[in-house]
Amino acid sequence: KESKDQLIIDAGQKHFGATMCKSCGMIYTASNPEDELQHVQHHHRFLEGVKYAGWKKERVVAEFWDGKIVLVLPHDPSYALKKVEDVQELVDCELGFQQVIPRCPNKTKTFLFISDEKRVVGCLIAEPIKQAFRVLSEPTGPESPSTKECHRAWQCSNVPEPAVCGISRIWVFRLKRRKRIARRLVDTLRNRFMFGCFLSTNEIAFSDPTPDGKLFATKYCNT
Ligand code: ACO
Ligand code: ZN
């Protein structure tokens, strides 16, 4: 009986087996031509988008044993802005965001975490805000696993609280998660967003957090 179970499991793995690409992080079924094509497209786009050759004038705002953080500002050279655009496109695609126009494009600050392999493996986009609404509790209403919108329907307070800095995007490359890259990006942001002061966690707000984003934000703000 045991061996029969084992057989079924093996057969299942061969047929449905999902692979994760070690370069682009996409999970796909190698035996499915449609999936494979999608992977090839994503793979090229991803590697092109996150490649970081190094810039003559780069603003390194933090350095670590496994990489560095580069800050890009709205009036930087076009090659830097283009890179930010490419990364944001990948991030938005992964998060399922439609094109979002920043509220004050002239005040957006983008922090890129560059790995030792010269890849952009983390990205944080921040903008000044005046107020935010606290996330109150777990999502209400029936759990509907099929749509992303439902996952994001956290209940928010309707009492605005003063805030200074809104994090409109935070993203870490799938295979580099849980290595404190997001934490280091937010630490650097708090240090760098306003000249001469270190923002408290009450002064920063995460816009429209995903489940991952909410878990990270909760943990980050309590420690
Ligand atoms: N589940 C549970 N706890 C988590 C998770 C998670 N998925 N992610 C982070 N945490 C908590 C942990 O306590 C972690 O510390 P630990 O690893 O010592 O336990 C702590 O947060 C710090 O985590 P980091 O390692 O700094 O976070 P990471 O670099 O993995 O990045 C992020 C977190 C950005 C949310 C990443 O998972 C990601 O890119 N997800 C997909 C994109 C996304 O959903 N982004 C948020 C969108 S919301 C917005 O942009 C405003
Ligand atoms: Zn790939």
Side-chain angles (χ1 to χ4, degrees):
K1 204 164 191 224
E2 257 176 42
S3 63
K4 198 180 167 200
D5 282 352
Q6 191 55 53
L7 256 179
I8 291 164
I9 292 165
D10 276 346
Q13 279 167 340
K14 273 194 198 101
H15 192 69
F16 298 111
T19 321
M20 185 194 271
C21 175
K22 285 205 171 74
S23 310
C24 74
M26 182 169 159
I27 300 163
Y28 66 101
T29 312
S31 57
N32 177 335
E34 223 174 283
D35 244 30
E36 252 177 303
L37 180 65
Q38 224 179 5
H39 169 236
V40 169
Q41 287 169 341
H42 177 264
H43 191 92
H44 288 300
R45 206 160 144 238
F46 182 87
L47 291 190
E48 210 42 51
V50 302
K51 205 162 59 186
Y52 181 90
W55 301 328
K56 225 182 270 169
K57 281 206 289 180
E58 57 179 24
R59 203 178 286 105
V60 178
V61 290
E63 279 184 284
F64 303 100
W65 60 97
D66 55 349
K68 64 185 172 190
I69 295 177
V70 170
L71 169 61
V72 180
L73 297 176
H75 300 295
D76 279 356
S78 56
Y79 54 78
L81 300 178
K82 176 76 171 64
K83 181 57 63 182
V84 165
E85 229 173 74
D86 288 353
V87 174
Q88 184 172 352
E89 205 179 292
L90 286 168
V91 172
D92 284 359
C93 186
E94 188 175 327
L95 290 175
F97 274 119
Q98 302 301 322
Q99 212 180 6
V100 184
I101 294 117
R103 265 158 292 186
C104 11
N106 282 329
K107 291 177 178 163
T108 305
K109 291 188 165 73
T110 305
F111 296 82
L112 300 176
F113 194 107
I114 314 293
S115 73
D116 285 340
E117 305 97 55
K118 296 196 176 222
R119 297 261 172 87
V120 179
V121 294
C123 171
L124 186 163
I125 304 178
E127 56 189 8
I129 54 169
K130 295 213 164 62
Q131 59 183 38
F133 299 90
R134 196 166 289 279
V135 174
L136 287 179
S137 58
E138 289 307 303
T140 49
E143 199 63 68
S144 161
S146 58
T147 68
K148 279 196 172 112
E149 278 67 36
C150 282
H151 278 296
R152 288 220 192 106
W154 320 111
Q155 208 188 6
C156 284
S157 148
N158 43 27
V159 184
E161 293 177 39
V164 174
C165 170
I167 296 179
S168 81
R169 298 285 189 291
I170 182 157
W171 166 89
V172 171
F173 173 46
R174 198 187 291 276
L175 298 170
K176 297 279 184 183
R177 288 184 193 160
R178 304 304 286 269
K179 296 181 192 299
R180 316 214 140 198
I181 290 178
R183 180 181 286 278
R184 285 179 272 165
L185 281 165
V186 182
D187 284 344
T188 307
L189 163 76
R190 288 167 65 194
N191 199 8
R192 276 294 184 145
F193 193 72
M194 262 165 61
F195 182 75
C197 71
F198 189 72
L199 295 180
S200 80
T201 52
N202 285 326
E203 292 170 306
I204 57 174
F206 293 79
S207 74
D208 190 19
T210 56
D212 271 351
K214 197 174 170 238
L215 285 165
F216 166 73
T218 309
K219 179 76 182 178
Y220 182 89
C221 292
N222 289 330
T223 50

